Amino acid sequence: MCRFLAYMGEPVFLDTLLIEPASSLVSQSLAARQAKTTVNGDGCGVGWYGARPDPGIYRGTLPAWSDANLASLCRQVSAPMFLAHVRSATSGEVSMANCHPFAAGRHLFMHNGQIGGYDRIRRPVEAMIPDDLYARRRGNGDSEAIFLAALGHGLDADPVAAIARTLGNCLRIMQADGVDQALRFTAILADGEKLLAMRWASDDRPPSLYWRRFTTGIAIASEPFGDSGNTWQAVPPGTALTAAQDDVSFAEFAVA
């Protein structure tokens, strides 16, 4: 499973959260503590919002711990909102096209989890992507397919409903093909103004997700980093967390 982090608040240099803290995301790429796979070395990526409406994005196939370009970028870029991801591939080859986050317009999306039996059901899953969006398909992994299908299900207007509908369709495809593996989905979507984090699994065992407040803003992550104690709070399964400015709200996230 992958590891990721998202932040929104006052502008901060990316390295203050991604590299400098104890058990930082870059450290987790080599030694994750709450994942099935300790090493997340199948690529990395970061997306950030700056002076222009659409986000900047960097992705590469090197492990985060050895990517000198990533480290240099993080030392120089200051942003009020950013997403970062280190990958442990469960579907799709190790390639830049399969690295997160994925972008479309103002949206950034990253995912930790998997569609069970994806290699068996890839064609019907990809068929959920509308023709006018399929040209954006660059990789061959399940995460990008979920994102593009959700765009076609009204992500711009109602992202929670669009993603829930997409996952529900995935689940029906799995059931029709007799897939007995789980659909696990922990993800973050950003649009430059707010963060939306979702945690759900068909077997009630979604990948981990936490959030906390810093003096400068709000962070959401696969696992805690920095100071310990009660500063980090777990996001319950079946929950959608929305962070906008200083406000954090929670709602049920159900897939039917």
PDB file of all heavy atoms in Angstrom, residues 7 9-16 48-51 72-82:
ATOM      1  N   TYR A   7      -1.806  18.934   2.683  1.00  0.00           N
ATOM      2  CA  TYR A   7      -1.754  20.081   3.598  1.00  0.00           C
ATOM      3  C   TYR A   7      -2.496  21.251   2.991  1.00  0.00           C
ATOM      4  O   TYR A   7      -2.455  21.471   1.772  1.00  0.00           O
ATOM      5  CB  TYR A   7      -0.301  20.487   3.859  1.00  0.00           C
ATOM      6  CG  TYR A   7      -0.164  21.833   4.551  1.00  0.00           C
ATOM      7  CD1 TYR A   7      -0.264  21.936   5.938  1.00  0.00           C
ATOM      8  CD2 TYR A   7       0.042  23.000   3.815  1.00  0.00           C
ATOM      9  CE1 TYR A   7      -0.158  23.176   6.572  1.00  0.00           C
ATOM     10  CE2 TYR A   7       0.151  24.233   4.440  1.00  0.00           C
ATOM     11  CZ  TYR A   7       0.042  24.319   5.820  1.00  0.00           C
ATOM     12  OH  TYR A   7       0.138  25.539   6.440  1.00  0.00           O
ATOM     13  N   GLY A   9      -3.359  25.552   4.344  1.00  0.00           N
ATOM     14  CA  GLY A   9      -3.235  26.562   5.394  1.00  0.00           C
ATOM     15  C   GLY A   9      -2.366  27.711   4.917  1.00  0.00           C
ATOM     16  O   GLY A   9      -2.395  28.088   3.736  1.00  0.00           O
ATOM     17  N   GLU A  10      -1.592  28.276   5.829  1.00  0.00           N
ATOM     18  CA  GLU A  10      -0.642  29.300   5.434  1.00  0.00           C
ATOM     19  C   GLU A  10       0.444  28.673   4.558  1.00  0.00           C
ATOM     20  O   GLU A  10       0.791  27.512   4.737  1.00  0.00           O
ATOM     21  CB  GLU A  10       0.000  29.923   6.681  1.00  0.00           C
ATOM     22  CG  GLU A  10      -0.977  30.608   7.619  1.00  0.00           C
ATOM     23  CD  GLU A  10      -0.299  31.104   8.878  1.00  0.00           C
ATOM     24  OE1 GLU A  10       0.952  31.163   8.912  1.00  0.00           O
ATOM     25  OE2 GLU A  10      -1.022  31.418   9.847  1.00  0.00           O
ATOM     26  N   PRO A  11       0.977  29.425   3.618  1.00  0.00           N
ATOM     27  CA  PRO A  11       2.038  28.845   2.776  1.00  0.00           C
ATOM     28  C   PRO A  11       3.228  28.377   3.607  1.00  0.00           C
ATOM     29  O   PRO A  11       3.678  29.081   4.520  1.00  0.00           O
ATOM     30  CB  PRO A  11       2.431  30.017   1.862  1.00  0.00           C
ATOM     31  CG  PRO A  11       1.224  30.891   1.827  1.00  0.00           C
ATOM     32  CD  PRO A  11       0.610  30.791   3.195  1.00  0.00           C
ATOM     33  N   VAL A  12       3.694  27.170   3.314  1.00  0.00           N
ATOM     34  CA  VAL A  12       4.886  26.623   3.964  1.00  0.00           C
ATOM     35  C   VAL A  12       5.753  25.989   2.886  1.00  0.00           C
ATOM     36  O   VAL A  12       5.268  25.577   1.828  1.00  0.00           O
ATOM     37  CB  VAL A  12       4.533  25.573   5.043  1.00  0.00           C
ATOM     38  CG1 VAL A  12       3.711  26.182   6.172  1.00  0.00           C
ATOM     39  CG2 VAL A  12       3.801  24.379   4.438  1.00  0.00           C
ATOM     40  N   PHE A  13       7.050  25.920   3.144  1.00  0.00           N
ATOM     41  CA  PHE A  13       7.924  25.185   2.238  1.00  0.00           C
ATOM     42  C   PHE A  13       7.622  23.700   2.368  1.00  0.00           C
ATOM     43  O   PHE A  13       7.429  23.177   3.467  1.00  0.00           O
ATOM     44  CB  PHE A  13       9.388  25.476   2.557  1.00  0.00           C
ATOM     45  CG  PHE A  13       9.848  26.826   2.080  1.00  0.00           C
ATOM     46  CD1 PHE A  13       9.975  27.888   2.961  1.00  0.00           C
ATOM     47  CD2 PHE A  13      10.132  27.037   0.736  1.00  0.00           C
ATOM     48  CE1 PHE A  13      10.378  29.139   2.517  1.00  0.00           C
ATOM     49  CE2 PHE A  13      10.539  28.275   0.279  1.00  0.00           C
ATOM     50  CZ  PHE A  13      10.664  29.339   1.171  1.00  0.00           C
ATOM     51  N   LEU A  14       7.585  23.021   1.238  1.00  0.00           N
ATOM     52  CA  LEU A  14       7.165  21.630   1.223  1.00  0.00           C
ATOM     53  C   LEU A  14       8.055  20.749   2.090  1.00  0.00           C
ATOM     54  O   LEU A  14       7.574  19.789   2.705  1.00  0.00           O
ATOM     55  CB  LEU A  14       7.148  21.103  -0.215  1.00  0.00           C
ATOM     56  CG  LEU A  14       5.879  21.336  -1.036  1.00  0.00           C
ATOM     57  CD1 LEU A  14       5.512  22.809  -1.131  1.00  0.00           C
ATOM     58  CD2 LEU A  14       6.016  20.728  -2.436  1.00  0.00           C
ATOM     59  N   ASP A  15       9.347  21.072   2.170  1.00  0.00           N
ATOM     60  CA  ASP A  15      10.241  20.196   2.927  1.00  0.00           C
ATOM     61  C   ASP A  15       9.968  20.227   4.425  1.00  0.00           C
ATOM     62  O   ASP A  15      10.331  19.292   5.134  1.00  0.00           O
ATOM     63  CB  ASP A  15      11.706  20.513   2.637  1.00  0.00           C
ATOM     64  CG  ASP A  15      12.120  21.911   3.068  1.00  0.00           C
ATOM     65  OD1 ASP A  15      11.237  22.749   3.371  1.00  0.00           O
ATOM     66  OD2 ASP A  15      13.340  22.185   3.096  1.00  0.00           O
ATOM     67  N   THR A  16       9.294  21.282   4.931  1.00  0.00           N
ATOM     68  CA  THR A  16       9.015  21.349   6.369  1.00  0.00           C
ATOM     69  C   THR A  16       8.046  20.260   6.819  1.00  0.00           C
ATOM     70  O   THR A  16       8.030  19.894   7.996  1.00  0.00           O
ATOM     71  CB  THR A  16       8.450  22.723   6.756  1.00  0.00           C
ATOM     72  OG1 THR A  16       7.200  22.937   6.071  1.00  0.00           O
ATOM     73  CG2 THR A  16       9.424  23.831   6.413  1.00  0.00           C
ATOM     74  N   TRP A  48       1.021  20.938  -6.182  1.00  0.00           N
ATOM     75  CA  TRP A  48       0.850  22.103  -5.313  1.00  0.00           C
ATOM     76  C   TRP A  48       0.119  23.205  -6.062  1.00  0.00           C
ATOM     77  O   TRP A  48       0.115  23.280  -7.289  1.00  0.00           O
ATOM     78  CB  TRP A  48       2.202  22.594  -4.814  1.00  0.00           C
ATOM     79  CG  TRP A  48       3.090  23.173  -5.883  1.00  0.00           C
ATOM     80  CD1 TRP A  48       3.231  24.491  -6.244  1.00  0.00           C
ATOM     81  CD2 TRP A  48       3.949  22.438  -6.759  1.00  0.00           C
ATOM     82  NE1 TRP A  48       4.114  24.625  -7.279  1.00  0.00           N
ATOM     83  CE2 TRP A  48       4.581  23.383  -7.623  1.00  0.00           C
ATOM     84  CE3 TRP A  48       4.255  21.076  -6.915  1.00  0.00           C
ATOM     85  CZ2 TRP A  48       5.489  22.997  -8.610  1.00  0.00           C
ATOM     86  CZ3 TRP A  48       5.152  20.702  -7.908  1.00  0.00           C
ATOM     87  CH2 TRP A  48       5.764  21.652  -8.731  1.00  0.00           C
ATOM     88  N   TYR A  49      -0.521  24.091  -5.285  1.00  0.00           N
ATOM     89  CA  TYR A  49      -1.247  25.226  -5.830  1.00  0.00           C
ATOM     90  C   TYR A  49      -0.463  26.492  -5.538  1.00  0.00           C
ATOM     91  O   TYR A  49      -0.015  26.715  -4.407  1.00  0.00           O
ATOM     92  CB  TYR A  49      -2.641  25.315  -5.215  1.00  0.00           C
ATOM     93  CG  TYR A  49      -3.525  24.156  -5.615  1.00  0.00           C
ATOM     94  CD1 TYR A  49      -3.510  22.957  -4.892  1.00  0.00           C
ATOM     95  CD2 TYR A  49      -4.357  24.241  -6.720  1.00  0.00           C
ATOM     96  CE1 TYR A  49      -4.308  21.889  -5.265  1.00  0.00           C
ATOM     97  CE2 TYR A  49      -5.162  23.169  -7.105  1.00  0.00           C
ATOM     98  CZ  TYR A  49      -5.135  22.000  -6.370  1.00  0.00           C
ATOM     99  OH  TYR A  49      -5.918  20.942  -6.751  1.00  0.00           O
ATOM    100  N   GLY A  50      -0.307  27.319  -6.582  1.00  0.00           N
ATOM    101  CA  GLY A  50       0.470  28.541  -6.444  1.00  0.00           C
ATOM    102  C   GLY A  50      -0.262  29.739  -7.007  1.00  0.00           C
ATOM    103  O   GLY A  50      -1.466  29.915  -6.795  1.00  0.00           O
ATOM    104  N   ALA A  51       0.439  30.556  -7.790  1.00  0.00           N
ATOM    105  CA  ALA A  51      -0.117  31.806  -8.289  1.00  0.00           C
ATOM    106  C   ALA A  51      -1.116  31.597  -9.415  1.00  0.00           C
ATOM    107  O   ALA A  51      -1.973  32.446  -9.653  1.00  0.00           O
ATOM    108  CB  ALA A  51       1.006  32.721  -8.754  1.00  0.00           C
ATOM    109  N   SER A  72      15.137  18.879  -3.945  1.00  0.00           N
ATOM    110  CA  SER A  72      15.434  20.260  -4.319  1.00  0.00           C
ATOM    111  C   SER A  72      14.161  21.070  -4.498  1.00  0.00           C
ATOM    112  O   SER A  72      14.056  22.209  -4.030  1.00  0.00           O
ATOM    113  CB  SER A  72      16.257  20.275  -5.610  1.00  0.00           C
ATOM    114  OG  SER A  72      16.528  21.594  -6.015  1.00  0.00           O
ATOM    115  N   LEU A  73      13.173  20.486  -5.154  1.00  0.00           N
ATOM    116  CA  LEU A  73      11.894  21.168  -5.349  1.00  0.00           C
ATOM    117  C   LEU A  73      11.247  21.494  -3.999  1.00  0.00           C
ATOM    118  O   LEU A  73      10.738  22.597  -3.789  1.00  0.00           O
ATOM    119  CB  LEU A  73      10.983  20.292  -6.204  1.00  0.00           C
ATOM    120  CG  LEU A  73       9.603  20.811  -6.583  1.00  0.00           C
ATOM    121  CD1 LEU A  73       9.191  20.209  -7.929  1.00  0.00           C
ATOM    122  CD2 LEU A  73       8.552  20.449  -5.537  1.00  0.00           C
ATOM    123  N   CYS A  74      11.252  20.519  -3.088  1.00  0.00           N
ATOM    124  CA  CYS A  74      10.611  20.722  -1.793  1.00  0.00           C
ATOM    125  C   CYS A  74      11.297  21.815  -0.976  1.00  0.00           C
ATOM    126  O   CYS A  74      10.646  22.494  -0.170  1.00  0.00           O
ATOM    127  CB  CYS A  74      10.607  19.413  -0.999  1.00  0.00           C
ATOM    128  SG  CYS A  74       9.461  18.171  -1.652  1.00  0.00           S
ATOM    129  N   ARG A  75      12.578  21.993  -1.165  1.00  0.00           N
ATOM    130  CA  ARG A  75      13.296  23.054  -0.447  1.00  0.00           C
ATOM    131  C   ARG A  75      12.969  24.435  -0.997  1.00  0.00           C
ATOM    132  O   ARG A  75      13.107  25.439  -0.282  1.00  0.00           O
ATOM    133  CB  ARG A  75      14.803  22.815  -0.511  1.00  0.00           C
ATOM    134  CG  ARG A  75      15.302  21.724   0.419  1.00  0.00           C
ATOM    135  CD  ARG A  75      16.815  21.779   0.562  1.00  0.00           C
ATOM    136  NE  ARG A  75      17.499  21.484  -0.699  1.00  0.00           N
ATOM    137  CZ  ARG A  75      17.861  20.261  -1.068  1.00  0.00           C
ATOM    138  NH1 ARG A  75      17.613  19.235  -0.280  1.00  0.00           N
ATOM    139  NH2 ARG A  75      18.476  20.071  -2.221  1.00  0.00           N
ATOM    140  N   GLN A  76      12.538  24.524  -2.255  1.00  0.00           N
ATOM    141  CA  GLN A  76      12.346  25.814  -2.895  1.00  0.00           C
ATOM    142  C   GLN A  76      10.885  26.247  -3.025  1.00  0.00           C
ATOM    143  O   GLN A  76      10.599  27.434  -3.121  1.00  0.00           O
ATOM    144  CB  GLN A  76      12.976  25.792  -4.295  1.00  0.00           C
ATOM    145  CG  GLN A  76      14.479  25.583  -4.302  1.00  0.00           C
ATOM    146  CD  GLN A  76      15.211  26.718  -3.610  1.00  0.00           C
ATOM    147  OE1 GLN A  76      14.792  27.862  -3.652  1.00  0.00           O
ATOM    148  NE2 GLN A  76      16.326  26.393  -2.959  1.00  0.00           N
ATOM    149  N   VAL A  77       9.945  25.297  -3.047  1.00  0.00           N
ATOM    150  CA  VAL A  77       8.541  25.620  -3.290  1.00  0.00           C
ATOM    151  C   VAL A  77       7.805  25.837  -1.970  1.00  0.00           C
ATOM    152  O   VAL A  77       7.864  24.998  -1.064  1.00  0.00           O
ATOM    153  CB  VAL A  77       7.845  24.506  -4.095  1.00  0.00           C
ATOM    154  CG1 VAL A  77       6.340  24.758  -4.171  1.00  0.00           C
ATOM    155  CG2 VAL A  77       8.436  24.421  -5.491  1.00  0.00           C
ATOM    156  N   SER A  78       7.120  26.968  -1.867  1.00  0.00           N
ATOM    157  CA  SER A  78       6.245  27.270  -0.740  1.00  0.00           C
ATOM    158  C   SER A  78       4.825  27.342  -1.274  1.00  0.00           C
ATOM    159  O   SER A  78       4.577  27.988  -2.304  1.00  0.00           O
ATOM    160  CB  SER A  78       6.650  28.595  -0.087  1.00  0.00           C
ATOM    161  OG  SER A  78       5.729  28.963   0.921  1.00  0.00           O
ATOM    162  N   ALA A  79       3.880  26.679  -0.603  1.00  0.00           N
ATOM    163  CA  ALA A  79       2.515  26.621  -1.124  1.00  0.00           C
ATOM    164  C   ALA A  79       1.503  26.557   0.017  1.00  0.00           C
ATOM    165  O   ALA A  79       1.795  26.010   1.085  1.00  0.00           O
ATOM    166  CB  ALA A  79       2.348  25.396  -2.032  1.00  0.00           C
ATOM    167  N   PRO A  80       0.293  27.087  -0.215  1.00  0.00           N
ATOM    168  CA  PRO A  80      -0.761  27.008   0.794  1.00  0.00           C
ATOM    169  C   PRO A  80      -1.536  25.700   0.766  1.00  0.00           C
ATOM    170  O   PRO A  80      -2.313  25.412   1.669  1.00  0.00           O
ATOM    171  CB  PRO A  80      -1.669  28.182   0.432  1.00  0.00           C
ATOM    172  CG  PRO A  80      -1.536  28.271  -1.058  1.00  0.00           C
ATOM    173  CD  PRO A  80      -0.112  27.910  -1.373  1.00  0.00           C
ATOM    174  N   MET A  81      -1.344  24.926  -0.291  1.00  0.00           N
ATOM    175  CA  MET A  81      -2.004  23.614  -0.397  1.00  0.00           C
ATOM    176  C   MET A  81      -1.151  22.717  -1.286  1.00  0.00           C
ATOM    177  O   MET A  81      -0.712  23.138  -2.355  1.00  0.00           O
ATOM    178  CB  MET A  81      -3.406  23.747  -0.991  1.00  0.00           C
ATOM    179  CG  MET A  81      -4.140  22.424  -1.148  1.00  0.00           C
ATOM    180  SD  MET A  81      -5.825  22.597  -1.839  1.00  0.00           S
ATOM    181  CE  MET A  81      -6.671  23.431  -0.493  1.00  0.00           C
ATOM    182  N   PHE A  82      -0.906  21.496  -0.812  1.00  0.00           N
ATOM    183  CA  PHE A  82      -0.172  20.541  -1.631  1.00  0.00           C
ATOM    184  C   PHE A  82      -0.511  19.120  -1.245  1.00  0.00           C
ATOM    185  O   PHE A  82      -0.975  18.851  -0.127  1.00  0.00           O
ATOM    186  CB  PHE A  82       1.341  20.780  -1.573  1.00  0.00           C
ATOM    187  CG  PHE A  82       1.960  20.692  -0.204  1.00  0.00           C
ATOM    188  CD1 PHE A  82       2.361  19.482   0.323  1.00  0.00           C
ATOM    189  CD2 PHE A  82       2.163  21.847   0.538  1.00  0.00           C
ATOM    190  CE1 PHE A  82       2.950  19.399   1.575  1.00  0.00           C
ATOM    191  CE2 PHE A  82       2.750  21.781   1.795  1.00  0.00           C
ATOM    192  CZ  PHE A  82       3.144  20.561   2.311  1.00  0.00           C
TER     193      PHE A  82
END
